[in-house]
Structure formats: structure tokens, C-alpha cells
Amino acid sequence: QLQLQESGPGLVKPSETLSLTCTVSGGSLSTTDHFWGWIRQPPGRGLEWIGNIFYTGSTYYSPSLKGRVSITVDTSRNQFSLNLRSVTAADTAIYYCARVFLWLPPRWPDWIDPWGLGTLVTVSS
Amino acid sequence: QSALTQPASVSGSPGQSITISCTGSSSDVGNYNLVSWYQQHPGKPPRVIIFEVIKRPSGVSHRFSGSKSGNTASLTISGLQTEDEADYYCSSYAESSTFVLGGGTKLTVL
């Protein structure tokens, strides 16, 4: 059974870069049927899609975060990572990584399953 | 790209049926049958309960059903049970390989 696990610092200072890694186990992320994505949830609030990556490295980002976000993939380690630059308190959230099923063709993101357990990242000095 | 619009809260009694709406635009919900719904209990990650508007993943109760009309998708839960009390989110494909999510609906089972 595929599982995803987020890891990284739980506290980041304002203006610095938030970096998280998602480790995929129980399956390979080198598949043509899936993207791999990041979604966040500020405490007590709703979900926000951050971006997706294909195993080849193709990326797709939320327009609201584009310019501050980058997602990379390391197929040899079965991991993908999130970097969010110039963070503020508004970036405080639980960050989830997830597998994204694709509508094929034309390879559009469809639905999300499974999700990691999530990791809380607080932006504070 | 605006978030999909959901009611902030809905409620119902055990055994009743409720419907949660999810309104988007012709750039997302209205133009693609790639709407999914997620259930989230407190302190847990979301889990998918409906995908591609009407499909249920294996293991999801038949009490959950989805539909769509124009720019609005809907989730119906029939025979409400206390364990259905949770937050529900819709999601849709939104052009250029992006997603858009709804603001979430809190379901209270009275």
C-alpha cells in the first residue's frame, strides 16, 4: 500500500525558505499515471493547492504562489520536495504531500489519494 | 483562479439526507467532469470520497453520491450517521494543469 511521509523543519523564520521533503514508500513515483503534489491548510482553515510535479520534473504551480514556490523530484530516492521562499506568518500551515491521479490523455490532474499525514510548519521569529 | 464556493456549514439529523454544493465557473467545474470530494475529520488528512463527479473509490459507502449541473457540483449524503460529521471539500481541474479547491463545509450531525 502506497504511503507518503512529509519531513522537514517545523519552525521557519520570516523571509527565509520553507523546505519540505515527501518520501514515497510502497510504490514508485516514476509512473506515467500520476502527479505528486503539495497541499497546505492554515490552522482552522481550508485547503489550498500549492503545486504538482511529474516524475520527469515537469511542474505546475498555483498562480497565487507562483514565483515563490518550486517543487523538485529525486526518483533515485523516491522523494519529491517543496521550497517556498520569502515566507511570512501567512504561510503557517499543515503541509500535505499526496499522489494525484491523472485523466489520460491529456494528463490532467484528476483526484488525490492517498495523502500524507501532514506536517505543521510555523513561520515565526 | 478563485476558490470554489461552498456553504460554510450544513447540518442534519441521523437518517436524513443532506446536500453540499460547490460552485465554480466555466473555467473549472462547468467545463470538466474532474470534480472530486474529500472528507476530513479533525486532526486527520483528507480522504477522497467521490471522484470524476459521480465515482466512488472502493471502500466508500454508497450513502455518498455526487452530481453536477452547469457550474455547480453537489455531494449528497443519505442516511446520515454520526461518523459523517466532518469537513467536506470539493476540488476541480481548472485549466493549464492546475487544481482549484473549495473553501470547505462543516457538516454537523445533530
Side-chain angles (χ1 to χ4, degrees):
Chain A
Q1 183 181 353
L2 192 89
Q3 293 184 316
L4 300 97
Q5 176 69 60
E6 305 87 353
S7 59
L11 181 64
V12 181
K13 289 182 168 53
S15 80
E16 295 191 344
T17 296
L18 180 160
S19 296
L20 295 174
T21 295
C22 181
T23 300
V24 178
S25 59
S28 172
L29 59 71
S30 298
T31 79
T32 57
D33 293 347
H34 306 103
F35 283 164
W36 304 90
W38 289 96
I39 303 100
R40 70 181 182 178
Q41 184 171 34
R45 299 183 62 184
L47 301 169
E48 179 184 17
W49 175 68
I50 298 171
N52 296 331
I53 190 165
F54 195 51
Y55 79 97
T56 57
S58 296
T59 51
Y60 310 89
Y61 300 130
S62 167
S64 65
L65 294 172
K66 205 169 185 176
R68 288 204 297 137
V69 64
S70 64
I71 300 175
T72 58
V73 64
D74 184 339
T75 54
S76 66
R77 297 188 176 195
N78 228 30
Q79 295 176 332
F80 60 106
S81 298
L82 169 70
N83 278 344
L84 183 64
R85 297 176 288 278
S86 304
V87 297
T88 69
D91 295 309
T92 293
I94 297 172
Y95 285 77
Y96 296 100
C97 62
R99 179 178 62 177
V100 181
F101 283 78
L102 298 178
W103 176 261
L104 297 168
R107 209 171 77 191
W108 292 338
D110 189 347
W111 50 290
I112 303 170
D113 181 70
W115 301 58
L117 293 178
T119 186
L120 175 62
V121 179
T122 301
V123 178
S124 175
S125 54
Chain B
Q1 187 187 60
S2 301
L4 304 176
T5 301
Q6 298 181 233
S9 63
V10 298
S11 62
S13 300
Q16 287 186 333
S17 295
I18 63 96
T19 296
I20 299 172
S21 61
C22 169
T23 301
S25 70
S26 57
S27 298
D28 39 66
V29 174
N31 205 28
Y32 305 97
N33 289 325
L34 299 179
V35 175
S36 49
W37 289 89
Y38 303 87
Q39 178 192 60
Q40 185 180 33
H41 287 109
K44 300 289 188 183
R47 71 154 183 151
V48 63
I49 54 174
I50 295 288
F51 67 99
E52 292 170 14
V53 179
I54 61 171
K55 297 178 181 178
R56 268 187 312 274
S58 62
V60 172
S61 171
H62 284 72
R63 298 185 298 105
F64 294 93
S65 62
S67 62
K68 191 184 88 166
S69 178
N71 294 339
T72 298
S74 299
L75 170 71
T76 297
I77 309 174
S78 58
L80 269 180
Q81 298 179 0
T82 54
E83 59 260 36
D84 298 332
E85 186 162 294
D87 294 327
Y88 292 84
Y89 295 90
C90 61
S91 171
S92 175
Y93 175 71
E95 300 183 336
S96 303
S97 285
T98 63
F99 266 133
V100 61
L101 286 154
T105 298
K106 182 177 181 59
L107 170 62
T108 301
V109 181
L110 303 168

